[in-house]
Amino acid sequence: MTSNIAQKSKPLPAGIYCPVVSLYKPTPRQEIDYEASYKYFAYLIRGGVDGLVMAGTTAEAVLLSATERQELVRVARRAATDLGLSDFPVVAGISGQSTNESIRLAQDAQEAGGDFGLLLPPSYWVKAVTKDVIVDFYREVADNSPIPIVIYSFPAMCNGVDLNSDVMSELAQHPNIVGTKLTCGNAGKVTRLTNEYSHEQFSVYAGSSDWLLPCLIGGGSGCVTGIGNVFPKGLWLRQKRRAREGIAPTKFAAGYFAGPAAGVTDEKAFWPRKPYKPSGKEKQEWVVKVMQHLVEIEQSIPDRAGK
């Protein structure tokens, strides 16, 4: 039975969102390459993704400074606006270990043109993260955030902190908490939450493309998928085998398949930030082998209309 809570004033639009990778200069300090980022963001938007997610896990958010996070949101907003899509959804990662930091990141995101804030639960002192801590954390951030909050459930990245459907259902009633990204892969959460809340009340998204269809079948509203970095046009046509070993294979695939088309030809722009290493030759060959057959599909689909 659908809840009788009010619809959110600004729901997260349904669709396929790309959690963009961060691009770096080939220097010892690997500064963010904002010029390359602009080209890459514009390429993804023209490719037809329904929104960009900035400073998420795929963007190596924990390796980015607050200033870098904010500037990347600003660049994404400029890329969309220059394409004539001023209302294009930009979701900003605002995850901090403290309530104060998360509120500050939300404010930074809004100032830079972000529309929504994607927020992981605190996890530094995992034994102290009780249900009350989680609920109070999200409520206080939502109370003070100038942009709506999207709950990000990813236990593997949060010392095992899992947000069960009871907690999410409770948080869904907050007027400034509009949905959730489920990278936990729990289809039961989808069916419970979509049965209780409409899209306009609290929307539910798969956190990867390999369970997009189960999420949609369960009533979900779309997905946030790293494969969008590689094939922004064709990712929705079929489920893909994902490179599960980490960020490096995804970044290699993005650089190999999408980089040249976006005008970003330096492979080092797609390397992970140190101390992490790029994929080795064997892994690179595997990525090309399992993804090569999608190239023709990707090239057959026209760009999104814009300026």
Side-chain angles (χ1 to χ4, degrees), residues 12-237:
L12 179 65
I16 307 297
Y17 288 73
C18 177
V20 295
V21 297
S22 296
L23 304 183
Y24 307 116
K25 295 180 180 180
T27 61
R29 295 290 297 274
Q30 290 184 296
E31 296 88 353
I32 294 286
D33 191 332
Y34 295 111
E35 181 179 352
S37 297
Y38 175 88
K39 294 178 182 179
Y40 187 61
F41 298 163
Y43 170 78
L44 295 176
I45 296 168
R46 290 196 305 269
V49 297
D50 296 300
L52 296 183
V53 177
M54 316 302 300
T57 307
T58 307
E60 305 165 89
V62 296
L63 308 181
L64 304 178
S65 70
T67 300
E68 289 172 332
R69 292 190 187 198
Q70 185 180 44
E71 186 60 26
L72 284 169
V73 172
R74 187 172 287 113
V75 172
R77 173 54 62 207
R78 179 163 58 88
T81 301
D82 288 350
L83 289 171
L85 301 168
S86 58
D87 60 348
F88 184 81
V90 176
V91 182
I94 60 167
S95 300
Q97 285 300 322
S98 71
T99 303
N100 179 64
E101 181 187 11
S102 298
I103 292 171
R104 177 174 54 79
L105 290 171
Q107 294 169 340
D108 288 349
Q110 188 272 337
E111 291 172 4
D115 300 299
F116 300 88
L118 182 65
L119 183 59
L120 288 165
S123 59
Y124 184 65
W125 283 309
V126 64
K127 292 184 178 180
V129 183
T130 63
K131 175 187 175 181
D132 288 345
V133 166
I134 292 172
V135 170
D136 288 349
F137 171 76
Y138 276 101
R139 282 178 174 168
E140 190 167 354
V141 173
D143 284 344
N144 292 278
S145 171
I147 52 178
I149 299 300
V150 179
I151 298 170
Y152 187 4
S153 177
F154 196 177
M157 296 299 294
C158 294
N159 282 331
V161 175
D162 193 8
L163 303 175
N164 63 40
S165 61
D166 289 335
V167 168
M168 289 196 183
S169 179
E170 186 173 343
L171 291 172
Q173 298 178 48
H174 192 288
N176 202 33
I177 297 179
V178 298
T180 182
K181 174 192 175 186
L182 298 177
T183 313
C184 53
N186 189 323
K189 293 180 185 178
V190 177
T191 54
R192 186 263 172 94
L193 293 168
T194 58
N195 183 64
E196 188 170 1
Y197 299 103
S198 69
H199 169 83
E200 291 75 20
Q201 293 173 323
F202 186 78
S203 52
V204 181
Y205 298 79
S208 61
S209 59
D210 55 359
W211 70 291
L212 166 60
L213 292 184
C215 180
L216 294 177
I217 292 169
S221 299
C223 77
V224 182
T225 171
I227 199 68
N229 285 283
V230 188
F231 299 114
K233 297 178 183 179
L235 67 93
W236 56 274
L237 292 175

